[in-house]
Amino acid sequence: MSLILRKPDFYDSFRCIASRCTDTCCVGWEIDIDDASQKAYRKVAGAFGDKLRQNIEDGHFKLLPHDRCPFLDKQNLCEIYTHLGAGALCEICREHPRFVEVYGDIMERGLGLCCEEASRLLLEGKGPLAFTSEECDEPEDEMDEDDREVRDEVMFAREQIFKALADTSIPFKERLHQAFGYTGDKPLAPFESASAMVEFLAQLESYGADWDAALARIKAKVYAAQEAGRLDKDSTILEDQGFFSETESARLLAYLVYRHYSKCLFEGREQGKLMFALFFWNLARFFTRELAGNAAADAQSIKIGAIKILSKQLEYAEEIMEIVEISLDG
Ligand code: SF4
């Protein structure tokens, strides 16, 4: 049986920009090596084969100081790629930043927003986020009839959210209300105050230095405002200063719903997964505003930087997603 493969409109345009990237995917993560790659690495001959084997421990690459992959060279190029070719990359490195979810006979692919090029493609897309569907030959996951019905209901509900976000005939605020029941009067919800939200973020295990630095600046700002008595009404702290256009906001929100909402079929927390999109979007605006005050970069790069930091911190650790979704699952 073949699958229906769904992809967001920018998926096929993605190409890793490699040395032009201001980031690298090879720092800050523990990279698990799939069994087939480990087997292949055991057979690589010569000095490079020895280096490969010496740098693998418990199924992942032993990280160097600052969590660098041991195969990342001084030019931030991958030595496995340069010595052995693209085909020798382990599955994570080959696939990253792509993700895939399978719901019975529906497969959904996407690109993680931890990648600056993926974020750029998402934000720069023209008009509302759209999806393509095509048949593909991969095997489907088993799903009984009852589960298929629930899946179809969840996907239908998601479709209504996409439609509401894409409906440019109504004001943007109304679109948010239709999609999420969001009125904008409590931009920090479910948090009572900016300091409560910052404290919540601070208790999450940090993914690394960029997050720590951004959060420290925001924390300082929130506490300074609090001391100056400017924080009694928190609504101003998240004022949208127009960094994100309505199209960008709608595309980001729809994409976050696409990536997370349907996973409630496996993990529950339906409301938390829906609200995660709003939470992330509000934080992206907040972080962009704060980072913009500290950087000489252009507005687009700052927005992408904020999305990237948030994605790395929030979307890539199951435990963190669970904590955040539970807190949003009102
Ligand atoms: S962040 Fe994206 S563009 Fe940059 S190196 Fe990684 S995959 Fe390539």
Side-chain angles (χ1 to χ4, degrees):
M1 289 278 277
S2 61
L3 287 174
I4 299 293
L5 170 62
R6 189 172 287 144
K7 295 179 286 187
D9 53 16
F10 61 97
Y11 185 88
D12 289 333
S13 309
F14 175 75
R15 303 281 176 279
C16 172
I17 55 173
S19 57
R20 286 186 290 120
C21 186
T22 65
D23 206 351
T24 167
C25 313
C26 314
V27 176
W29 321 85
E30 187 159 275
I31 303 164
D32 290 327
I33 310 162
D34 56 288
D35 292 344
S37 301
Q38 286 193 56
K39 210 168 148 191
Y41 295 161
R42 273 185 224 119
K43 294 184 192 150
V44 176
F48 189 69
D50 293 339
K51 180 173 177 181
L52 262 174
R53 287 178 287 278
Q54 282 157 10
N55 282 286
I56 293 174
E57 188 176 60
D58 296 334
H60 56 258
F61 295 122
K62 285 188 209 167
L63 295 181
L64 298 177
H66 307 294
D67 288 345
R68 272 180 84 85
C69 174
F71 295 100
L72 190 61
D73 72 10
K74 289 198 179 87
Q75 284 77 44
N76 276 350
L77 296 174
C78 170
E79 290 179 346
I80 297 180
Y81 188 104
T82 48
H83 279 76
L84 306 174
L89 295 176
C90 66
E91 194 181 344
I92 286 188
C93 298
R94 209 167 44 237
E95 288 298 312
H96 186 84
R98 299 168 187 84
F99 64 81
V100 61
E101 296 291 342
V102 181
Y103 307 96
D105 57 356
I106 298 177
M107 176 184 271
E108 297 194 334
R109 288 191 171 275
L111 299 162
L113 298 180
C114 63
C115 164
E116 61 189 47
E117 179 63 1
S119 294
R120 186 189 69 75
L121 290 167
L122 170 66
L123 292 186
E124 292 183 359
K126 302 276 173 266
L129 185 66
F131 300 92
T132 59
S133 290
E134 62 197 67
E135 284 201 7
C136 86
D137 271 343
E138 309 239 5
E140 64 179 73
D141 266 9
E142 265 183 41
M143 195 176 238
D144 66 31
E145 270 314 302
D146 289 349
D147 287 346
R148 261 171 217 242
E149 257 180 49
V150 181
R151 176 203 66 186
D152 292 344
E153 279 168 22
V154 165
M155 292 211 169
F156 179 76
R158 196 181 65 169
E159 198 56 43
Q160 302 316 300
I161 294 168
F162 294 154
K163 274 191 188 152
L165 288 170
D167 186 356
T168 51
S169 69
I170 54 174
F172 185 66
K173 274 188 179 167
E174 180 55 27
R175 288 193 255 163
L176 288 181
H177 189 237
Q178 283 187 16
F180 302 102
Y182 181 72
T183 53
D185 57 338
K186 290 186 186 154
L188 301 169
F191 302 100
E192 288 291 316
S193 63
S195 47
M197 184 191 72
V198 164
E199 272 155 29
F200 170 77
L201 293 174
Q203 46 114 26
L204 301 173
E205 191 187 335
S206 159
Y207 92 84
D210 286 350
W211 170 255
D212 294 339
L215 191 60
R217 290 194 60 240
I218 286 165
K219 221 172 167 178
K221 190 101 176 223
V222 166
Y223 290 152
Q226 199 171 33
E227 272 177 24
R230 286 187 285 111
L231 219 62
D232 48 340
K233 278 215 176 300
D234 274 323
S235 48
T236 53
I237 200 83
L238 277 178
E239 249 169 30
D240 187 346
Q241 298 195 342
F243 284 108
F244 285 83
S245 69
E246 289 182 358
T247 302
E248 289 173 331
S249 288
R251 286 179 66 87
L252 176 59
L253 284 160
Y255 192 59
L256 291 162
V257 171
Y258 173 72
R259 173 150 201 193
H260 297 290
Y261 181 57
S262 301
K263 285 194 270 181
C264 68
L265 290 163
F266 312 125
E267 298 166 1
R269 307 190 293 274
E270 181 176 351
Q271 184 68 2
K273 287 184 186 299
L274 187 56
M275 289 302 128
F276 178 79
L278 268 178
F279 180 62
F280 189 111
W281 171 66
N282 269 328
L283 283 177
R285 297 190 300 155
F286 192 18
F287 272 59
T288 299
R289 195 178 77 168
E290 296 307 320
L291 297 175
N294 193 37
D298 61 284
Q300 185 73 339
S301 307
I302 296 165
K303 278 185 283 193
I304 290 170
I307 290 174
K308 197 169 75 172
I309 289 174
L310 286 164
S311 174
K312 286 184 181 184
Q313 173 62 29
L314 299 175
E315 290 187 292
Y316 281 84
E318 279 176 24
E319 320 81 69
I320 289 187
M321 279 304 284
E322 195 175 329
I323 295 169
V324 174
E325 287 171 1
I326 287 171
S327 77
L328 300 173
D329 201 39

